[in-house]
């Protein structure tokens, strides 16, 4: 690797700090560091940050629990038939680092059991297994990891015999990474000879899956719909036949599971329309008037929050695959090597990660079926150890749902 070319690149982007410890490295380490720097796309971190534009935000119709109940059996049999015809695959988004939880290793390997072992991955697989039992067909389960947890995730599934799932239907793929920086946009070193890289957000899942050859693989099996879901919701219902049936029957390119807001000011991303397209508006982008605005039926007009469980039509995903997703700059805890060469593991967010988010894919679609689910039965995210959306609250919800811990 040509040192002077790399140095020039760093000078151009004002990132020379990356060579601070260069002289201390062995020849081999020097080569690795230069290659890593060569691969950095500094334009990405200098890119324009996504700022929610004003757009014309209006409420979206959501299929409520009552409406679902009226057609439940019809939706269920339609969904089951689609699953039996191998039209549905599930994609588990497990590439995140779970920095708020602060554990090492894959989040899905967290044991939520109290008297026995019950891992997050296990809860998810067991939920999918219920659908397999009902349909009598295995569904492809694709698991997105990142370089940070890929091997551990695969080993974990292997060590637990895939929690009883048919391993022939399980595939892993690795998402892409982006450099992590301090708050001034300076890329951190994670070791003296390694730059700090972190997963580039959950929005890259479709492209990474395509690059791994898995899209072609599942399409060849007949897959036309993909249910993506977050790793940390232990009550997550995956490829839920009623949801599948309702979405397919609706003629929309996506279905989004939503929960009714607990209060107008609840901090959830709200499903709505923006300039006529489905969109998720963050709670801080809803004006106070909108927060309390009422619909004709007397309920809140912006009343439904998303839970990161979407059913996408593959054809429509393919048409947006080449479009650039907006860049989100997120405040996170980023371990780094300080000026004196010490490794620092911060307790509080100290830096920026650069992410594309799946919610931006929603806005690229022509329509969306919002599909209401019961929060107490389907939404127990584990973001923190204690408090709101935590291991503690998820344990309580699991046991309220009759899961033995
Ligand atoms: P979160 O936004 O909660 O991020 O991810 P996180 O990395 O898990 O946790 P924090 O914010 O650092 O505490 C929502 C879902 O998206 C996945 C996560 O694994 C989770 O299922 N995700 C997130 C990815 O697959 N890749 C990413 O780069 C980021």
């Amino acid at each position: 690797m040509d040192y002077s070319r790399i140095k020039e690149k760093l000078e151009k982007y004002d990132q020379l700090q990356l060579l601070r410890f260069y002289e201390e490295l062995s020849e081999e380490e020097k080569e690795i560091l230069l290659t890593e720097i060569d691969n950095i796309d500094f334009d990405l971190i200098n890119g324009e940050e996504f700022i929610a534009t004003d757009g014309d935000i209006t409420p979206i119709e959501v299929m409520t629990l009552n409406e679902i109940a009226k057609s439940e059996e019809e939706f269920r049999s339609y969904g089951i038939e689609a699953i039996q015809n191998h039209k549905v695959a599930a994609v588990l988004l497990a590439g995140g680092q779970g920095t708020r939880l602060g554990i090492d290793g894959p989040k899905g390997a967290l044991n939520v059991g109290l008297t026995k072992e019950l891992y997050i991955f296990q809860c998810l697989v067991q939920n999918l297994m219920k659908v397999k039992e009902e349909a009598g067909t295995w569904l492809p389960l694709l698991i997105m990891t990142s370089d940070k947890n890929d091997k551990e995730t695969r080993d974990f599934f292997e060590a637990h015999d895939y929690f009883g799932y048919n391993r022939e239907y399980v595939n892993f793929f690795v998402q892409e990474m982006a450099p992590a920086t301090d708050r001034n946009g300076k890329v951190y070193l994670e070791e003296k000879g390694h730059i700090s890289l972190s997963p580039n957000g959950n929005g890259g899942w479709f492209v990474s899956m395509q690059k791994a050859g898995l899209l072609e693989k599942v399409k060849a099996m007949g897959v036309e719909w993909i249910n993506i879901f977050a790793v940390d919701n232990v009550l997550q219902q995956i490829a839920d036949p009623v949801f599948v049936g309702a979405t397919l029957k609706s003629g929309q390119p996506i279905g989004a599971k939503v929960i009714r807001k607990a209060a107008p000011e609840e901090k959830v991303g709200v499903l709505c329309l923006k300039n006529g397209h489905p969109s998720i508006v963050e709670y801080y982008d809803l004006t106070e008037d909108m927060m309390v605005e009422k619909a004709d039926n007397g309920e809140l007009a912006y009343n439904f929050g998303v839970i990161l469980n979407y059913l996408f039509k593959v054809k429509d995903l393919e048409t947006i695959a080449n479009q650039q997703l907006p860049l989100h700059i997120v405040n996170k805890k980023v371990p780094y090597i300080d000026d004196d060469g010490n490794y620092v593991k911060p307790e509080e967010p100290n830096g920026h990660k650069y992410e594309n988010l799946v919610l931006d894919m929603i806005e690229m679609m022509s329509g969306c079926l919002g599909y209401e689910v019961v929060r107490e039965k389907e939404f127990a995210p584990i973001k923190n150890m204690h408090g709101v959306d935590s291991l503690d609250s998820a344990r309580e919800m699991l046991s309220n749902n009759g899961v033995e811990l």
Side-chain angles (χ1 to χ4, degrees):
M1 190 64 53
D2 180 355
Y3 175 82
S4 47
R5 182 174 63 81
I6 299 297
K7 193 160 173 239
E8 238 169 68
K9 177 178 176 180
L10 292 177
E11 271 163 355
K12 176 173 166 208
Y13 290 100
D14 198 13
Q15 297 280 355
L16 269 176
Q17 78 285 352
L18 292 176
L19 293 177
R20 240 175 335 178
F21 304 104
Y22 186 75
E23 290 312 327
E24 294 177 32
L25 304 176
S26 68
E27 286 312 307
E28 196 187 335
E29 288 167 338
K30 283 180 176 166
E31 198 56 26
I32 293 173
L33 178 62
L34 294 181
T35 310
E36 285 183 4
I37 297 172
D38 197 31
N39 289 333
I40 300 185
D41 176 7
F42 286 113
D43 289 329
L44 170 88
I45 55 180
N46 290 333
E48 207 170 310
E49 181 180 4
F50 170 76
I51 310 279
T53 46
D54 285 341
D56 184 19
I57 296 176
T58 48
I60 193 169
E61 290 265 325
V62 164
M63 187 180 270
T64 59
L65 293 173
N66 282 341
E67 290 167 84
I68 296 167
K70 280 186 214 144
S71 308
E72 184 170 342
E73 285 321 305
E74 183 195 339
F75 290 154
R76 183 184 300 282
S77 56
Y78 202 70
I80 288 288
E81 197 183 313
I83 292 165
Q84 287 169 337
N85 290 328
H86 312 290
K87 287 194 180 162
V88 183
V91 172
L92 164 55
L93 303 174
Q97 288 180 291
T99 50
R100 280 168 287 176
L101 199 57
I103 54 160
D104 289 329
K107 210 178 196 182
L110 182 72
N111 182 12
V112 296
L114 290 166
T115 61
K116 60 175 192 175
E117 289 177 358
L118 180 66
Y119 301 99
I120 294 184
F121 283 139
Q122 185 174 4
C123 294
L124 299 174
V125 169
Q126 283 173 356
N127 288 350
L128 183 57
M129 196 82 96
K130 284 191 279 182
V131 179
K132 180 260 156 190
E133 294 300 330
E134 192 176 347
T137 322
W138 293 101
L139 295 87
L141 170 62
L142 312 182
I143 302 173
M144 181 166 86
T145 61
S146 81
D147 281 343
K148 299 267 182 197
N149 65 16
D150 182 62
K151 183 169 182 323
E152 280 171 285
T153 305
R154 288 173 198 250
D155 290 350
F156 196 78
F157 270 83
E158 196 64 42
H160 292 90
D161 200 19
Y162 291 73
F163 303 104
Y165 209 76
N166 184 340
R167 67 177 63 200
E168 282 175 26
Y169 285 81
V170 181
N171 285 275
F172 298 86
F173 64 100
V174 183
Q175 71 170 97
E176 308 206 344
M177 305 291 277
T181 69
D182 68 11
R183 291 220 168 97
N184 297 316
K186 298 272 195 233
V187 175
Y188 274 130
L189 284 172
E190 178 176 80
E191 289 174 36
K192 288 183 176 176
H194 281 295
I195 57 168
S196 173
L197 291 172
S198 62
N200 68 343
N202 55 25
W205 70 274
F206 187 66
V207 171
S208 299
M209 176 182 157
Q210 249 178 340
K211 281 190 187 156
L214 291 174
L215 180 65
E216 283 315 308
K217 183 170 175 174
V218 296
K219 273 171 63 181
M221 295 163 85
V223 168
E224 293 175 8
W225 291 85
I226 296 179
N227 187 188
I228 64 159
F229 59 99
V231 68
D232 44 37
N233 174 10
V234 279
L235 288 179
Q236 190 84 258
Q237 300 301 307
I238 308 144
D240 163 358
V242 185
F243 176 48
V244 171
T247 306
L248 269 59
K249 281 205 164 219
S250 74
Q252 298 287 5
I254 345 169
K257 284 200 166 185
V258 292
I259 49 170
R260 205 168 277 260
K261 277 165 65 172
E265 58 284 349
E266 192 187 358
K267 294 178 175 173
V268 286
V270 169
L271 187 67
C272 58
L273 290 170
K274 193 171 182 182
N275 302 328
H277 281 261
S279 177
I280 291 151
V281 174
E282 290 299 345
Y283 63 94
Y284 44 78
D285 286 324
L286 272 191
T287 61
E288 293 207 354
D289 285 348
M290 281 169 149
M291 250 181 228
V292 293
E293 189 181 323
K294 296 273 170 66
D296 291 344
N297 61 6
E299 296 199 5
L300 291 177
Y302 299 94
N303 205 11
F304 293 96
V306 287
I307 61 167
L308 220 179
N309 187 320
Y310 304 107
L311 185 66
F312 281 97
K313 192 173 190 170
V314 172
K315 271 209 178 102
D316 291 69
L317 283 170
E318 287 177 312
T319 62
I320 63 159
N322 293 329
Q323 288 181 37
Q324 186 63 44
L325 286 168
L327 177 72
H328 294 259
I329 301 182
V330 231
N331 257 326
K332 295 244 177 160
K333 292 182 240 174
V334 186
Y336 65 99
I337 301 291
D338 70 12
D339 288 343
D340 300 325
N342 301 313
Y343 180 75
V344 182
K345 204 172 174 192
E347 298 287 326
E348 295 299 325
N350 61 316
H352 288 158
K353 293 188 179 178
Y354 298 78
E355 301 191 340
N356 295 133
L357 301 180
V358 77
L359 55 83
D360 289 316
M361 296 170 93
I362 311 289
E363 209 166 312
M364 295 174 169
M365 298 286 170
S366 57
C368 174
L369 174 74
Y371 176 97
E372 188 185 3
V373 297
V374 180
R375 177 192 294 255
E376 291 74 19
K377 290 191 181 156
E378 297 205 23
F379 192 50
I382 302 179
K383 302 286 184 195
N384 307 289
M385 275 296 174
H386 309 289
V388 180
D389 294 343
S390 67
L391 177 59
D392 295 344
S393 58
R395 280 181 169 148
E396 195 180 322
M397 290 180 79
L398 279 168
S399 66
N400 290 345
N401 278 279
V403 177
E404 231 182 87
L405 297 174

